Amino acid sequence: MTTLIRGGTVVTAEQTFRADVLCENGKIAAIGENLDIPTGAQIIDAGGQYVMPGGIDPHTHMQLPFMGTVASEDFYTGTAAAMAGGTTSIIDFVIPDPEQNIMEAYKTWREWAKKSTADYGFHVAITWWDDSVAKDMGTLVREEGVNSFKHFMAYKGAIMADDEILYNSFSRSLALGAMPTVHAENGELVFQLQKKLLEEGITGPEGHPLSRPPAAEGEAANRALRLAEVIGVPLYIVHVSASDALEEIKRARGAGQRVYGEVLAGHLTIDDSVYRDTDFTAAAAHVMSPPFRSKEHQAALWKGLQGGALHTTATDHCCFCADQKAMGKDNFAQIPNGCAGVEDRMSVLWTHGVNTGRLTPSEFVAITSANAARIFNIYPQKGVVAVGADADLVVWDPELSKTISVKTHHQNVDYNVFEGMTVKGLASHTLSRGVLTWKDGDLRAVKGAGQYVKRPAYPAPFDALAKRAALHKPRAVKRS
Ligand code: URP
Ligand code: ZN
Ligand code: ZN
């Protein structure tokens, strides 16, 4: 299949320039002005529009079994919705139960993901520890193209990783050249606060943010960062929602630590007033962890993104419908945690980032695709418009606008946390490996067309860090 995208303005994380883009056999074959039209090529007129790398959402949970139910969006419906919004790749999570064999869980998720229409990879969560886990981490890195491991510092009694697990897994990650990532919330503190609030009679969704204060996030971020510092391993902190965690990242970066921060489109644009909605369904629909925060935290997150302390944007797309959220009708701690967003991330960030002057188009590309591709080591296969890269592209019309609504979204969930938000700047066309999956409102995503993307281990910066760690190896003192 040959496609020529003509007359657009190409935007990468580094440059903006007028060029045509030729896609052949799933790859970008040529970029230049006034390219010849190959016989039989499909032409896309991109006049007045931007041609950018398709979005990479590095944090989704399709059909996740969680909190006694299963997320409503599967790998097909979720990635099809992603295509409608200009996102062409996701990195989802394999989350083994404690004591479950890691490879078995990994194979289960690989099977589920076969219906994906977008390309995909997996972070694998480390929820328990023994020698078999250490061995399986090696297999995942060396044979399966997994280069990141996730640690939930929250969800006590379920998937929470304690400091012993963090220490062992971070150390193993360093040895393997893999990136540890953390959900930073102090799970013990959250558990105790949930108990206290319930005893005090606070059972509704308003209890959710009260049980997960910004300090619980700041403490966990600091603890993970300090462990990573001592071990000498880089760290990626997912869904940073509070200035408390952001400040820890800034401190660590200032001290020379290699740390990356991710922020969600939702945390940047939705505030915690949603939990005080008197309608249970609406309030519960916003229950996710960490919770939406106050406007002050939002402002800090935008500055973190602009100032370079936060690097990637994601959605944590994890959908539960109203009947699932109702499992926590009498106890906020039992409301399944998670919200949707994979379809809306790009337009929400363009509207609130580029249209407000907070971000340039190139910075938008950096935080929606290029940085994730670099950090998770799939650059320049993904995250750039360059000859030889996968033809994962979005033709972006900065003049197109819509009002986001559950009535018109493509996500398989009965609520949209961005409901009523008018966004300006939308995907007119999305291409996945050169194939049109979205064209002017027509969703053409094909079930199973997505490919698993192997993410190789990092040769560097781990080498440098390992060398530095070796230099500081303690020696026993010889005594006579
Ligand atoms: O509430 C959330 N975020 N649900 C998904 C699991 C997680 O913590 O990422
Ligand atoms: Zn999380
Ligand atoms: Zn998540």
Side-chain angles (χ1 to χ4, degrees), residues 45-214:
D45 177 8
Q49 303 187 60
Y50 294 111
V51 182
M52 304 189 286
I56 300 173
D57 189 334
H59 189 155
T60 65
H61 300 280
M62 305 302 174
Q63 69 189 78
L64 174 69
F66 193 49
M67 295 183 73
T69 184
V70 178
S72 59
E73 191 91 281
D74 71 23
F75 278 88
Y76 172 60
T77 60
T79 54
M83 292 290 181
T87 288
T88 51
S89 300
I90 60 166
I91 312 180
D92 207 272
F93 293 81
V94 173
I95 308 184
D97 290 328
E99 309 293 319
Q100 186 188 5
N101 179 277
I102 310 281
M103 293 307 296
E104 175 194 288
Y106 170 75
K107 283 175 192 150
T108 301
W109 258 268
R110 284 292 303 267
E111 206 50 43
W112 289 341
K114 279 185 178 157
K115 24 181 199 285
S116 182
T117 187
D119 283 4
Y120 56 95
F122 288 109
H123 313 279
V124 175
I126 302 302
T127 53
W128 62 293
W129 192 260
D130 77 354
D131 288 348
S132 77
V133 176
K135 181 171 164 286
D136 289 345
M137 286 173 75
T139 307
L140 287 166
V141 172
R142 295 188 189 113
E143 293 170 27
E144 300 296 333
V146 170
N147 69 11
S148 50
F149 293 100
K150 172 74 178 287
H151 308 82
F152 291 92
M153 298 173 78
Y155 306 122
K156 178 178 148 101
I159 52 176
M160 184 170 96
D162 62 15
D163 288 1
E164 186 181 354
I165 297 176
L166 296 180
Y167 178 82
N168 284 319
S169 178
F170 283 19
S171 303
R172 181 72 175 137
S173 296
L174 174 65
L176 291 167
M179 176 79 78
T181 78
V182 290
H183 166 139
E185 282 186 301
N186 182 316
E188 183 61 45
L189 184 54
V190 170
F191 177 76
Q192 295 300 337
L193 290 176
Q194 286 174 332
K195 231 168 59 172
K196 181 166 173 283
L197 287 157
L198 290 167
E199 277 161 16
E200 287 167 359
I202 299 176
T203 59
E206 67 279 13
H208 179 69
L210 298 173
S211 68
R212 311 184 92 101

Side-chain angles (χ1 to χ4, degrees), residues 4-5 14 29-30 45 109 148 151 360 399 406 411 454 476-477:
L4 183 64
I5 306 173
E14 286 79 29
D45 177 8
W109 258 268
S148 50
H151 308 82
T360 65
E399 295 303 324
V406 67
Q411 301 168 137
K454 284 195 167 187
V477 177

